[in-house]
Amino acid sequence: MNTSHDPEVLGLPFYDDGHRRLAQQIGVWCDIYGELWETVRRMPPDEAGRRLVRLLGEEGWLSGLDPSAASPDLPWDFRAVCLTREALAYAEDLADFAYSIQSLSATPVIRYGDKEQQARYLPGMANGTLIGAFAVSEKEAGSEVAAVGLTARRAADGGYVLAGRKAWIAHATIADLFVVIARTGEGPGPLGLSAFLVPADTPGLRVERLDAIAPRSFGHVHFDDCPVPDEALLGRKGRGFVVAMDLLDRFRMTVGAAAVGFARRAADAALAHTRGREAYGRTLFDLQLVKAKLADTDIRLNAASLLVARAAWECDQGSRGFARHSSIAKVYATEAAQEIVDASVQLFGAAGVVRGGVTERLYRQIRSLRIYEGATDVLRLAIADGLDMRRADRGG
């Protein structure tokens, strides 16, 4: 049975009955498709990614990506996204990856697209027949969105021409549509950025495949003088930095939720192993040092779950400070998850590093969460920079 969600945390006022129904239903669904997870792990990453996006769409888990047709039976807010990611990450990394990147890519169209853009792209993204990717990172920019260098110059006959490249883009090798942040030059740094919707079959767009520690669809995207029409502009010209930061602020907490899912799977595996493994005339669980390690794991899981729940609640309530809570949740949850997975490997001993085992998979899968959508050290700087502002708000 999928035990990805802590029922005590779900019972807190951060969530309502709709969220609790969602958590129960996604957990049951993950159990039903348990055999599929074994199958997709053996597939090439691109094949697995397409299969999972289509499945998630067919089963309705992406329905909220098309607000005009979303089911009223289940919530579609960031608490719901976090609960879904937590369950999928507990069950299978590739399922969480497919869900998260599709949701990440559709959200700027939901929030900033005009009616024509939404009608053109969102139905396919919601049913899983159109795969999206969000392209902001560059080798020379990384976490510094304001340093994006990909250019979008005006064409003589109208529209824009994109020139440059994006790096480390999730779903790059299977995407049908890229949401691209490029420099249109209204001003320096963040002032000169705009967002564009660029179909994957645009002339001059090509993808360079990359291999990651945990196999998945991943690559660099090259824009060799790619022509895009004026209708490709997403939101207002010069507002690309706002689009990017609004999206990242909202999805950082969901990365924390996925980390909780990975960590809880590792913790459950470690507890089961220590209870069943005999050593020194008793079980591993009976050893005081092992109990202490498991206790630390439970403490970290509780703290991470609560931070994610608060951040998602703040976001859904429209709190002015939700972005700070989102960063805090991501930093703590991803760092704690890395420690929990590492502790689980240690408790398994040699069996914990055998390829294909649950702890070995988690050990490879958890590492990237501390980097993407805001690396830990970068977010720590941002959190610290906000301390004086918070003190002023309190009148200190």
Side-chain angles (χ1 to χ4, degrees), residues 42-332:
R42 295 191 294 269
M43 290 179 177
D46 287 2
E47 183 181 349
R50 292 189 186 95
R51 172 83 177 272
L52 288 166
V53 172
R54 187 61 181 263
L55 176 66
L56 289 164
E58 290 173 348
E59 295 288 313
W61 297 114
L62 298 173
S63 63
L65 300 182
D66 183 8
S68 66
S71 169
D73 297 331
L74 293 175
W76 182 265
D77 53 20
F78 276 87
R79 283 169 291 177
V81 174
C82 285
L83 291 171
T84 303
R85 288 202 66 178
E86 189 175 335
L88 292 172
Y90 185 97
E92 170 51 40
D93 165 61
L94 288 172
D96 168 65
F97 188 70
Y99 173 85
S100 65
I101 302 306
Q102 190 75 346
S103 301
L104 179 78
S105 307
T107 297
V109 184
I110 295 170
R111 292 182 58 75
Y112 296 97
D114 58 35
K115 290 183 179 179
E116 183 179 342
Q117 291 169 331
Q118 292 175 350
R120 182 183 307 167
Y121 297 119
L122 292 181
M125 298 184 88
N127 65 32
T129 59
L130 188 150
I131 298 175
F134 180 62
V136 61
S137 297
E138 299 177 6
K139 286 186 176 181
E140 295 77 15
S143 297
E144 189 181 2
V145 176
V148 160
L150 176 75
T151 60
R153 67 179 186 273
R154 276 305 244 170
D157 56 351
Y160 297 85
V161 176
L162 304 184
R165 65 179 179 176
K166 293 295 182 180
W168 311 299
I169 305 304
H171 274 179
T173 55
I174 62 173
D176 301 300
L177 177 72
F178 291 91
V179 181
V180 180
I181 304 299
R183 186 163 296 283
T184 46
E186 285 70 37
L191 300 177
L193 300 178
S194 299
F196 294 89
L197 297 173
V198 185
D201 60 1
T202 301
L205 189 156
R206 61 186 177 87
V207 175
E208 174 189 349
R209 185 183 306 277
L210 297 174
D211 291 324
I213 294 174
R216 57 188 64 184
S217 171
F218 196 54
H220 298 328
V221 185
H222 299 260
F223 299 86
D224 300 326
D225 292 334
C226 294
V228 295
D230 287 327
E231 297 77 40
L233 186 67
L234 179 64
R236 297 209 313 268
K237 187 178 178 182
R239 298 282 286 173
F241 183 79
V242 172
V243 173
M245 294 310 299
D246 177 67
L247 183 66
L248 294 173
D249 285 343
R250 292 172 190 278
F251 271 84
R252 282 180 182 132
M253 68 187 76
T254 80
V255 180
V260 170
F262 287 128
R264 198 176 303 283
R265 180 67 182 271
D268 286 351
L271 179 60
H273 175 73
T274 57
R275 283 191 175 280
R277 174 76 159 83
E278 292 187 4
Y280 308 106
R282 45 189 166 170
T283 66
L284 282 178
F285 182 79
D286 293 321
L287 302 177
Q288 294 303 306
L289 286 175
V290 171
K291 284 187 174 181
K293 194 177 289 287
L294 292 171
D296 288 343
T297 289
D298 196 49
I299 291 167
R300 292 187 179 104
L301 269 175
N302 271 273
S305 297
L306 290 169
L307 287 170
V308 168
R310 183 198 176 164
W313 182 85
E314 295 274 3
C315 179
D316 290 338
Q317 299 303 307
S319 168
R320 188 164 61 98
F322 87 86
R324 177 175 176 274
H325 293 292
S326 188
S327 293
I328 289 171
K330 181 187 186 295
V331 169
Y332 185 85

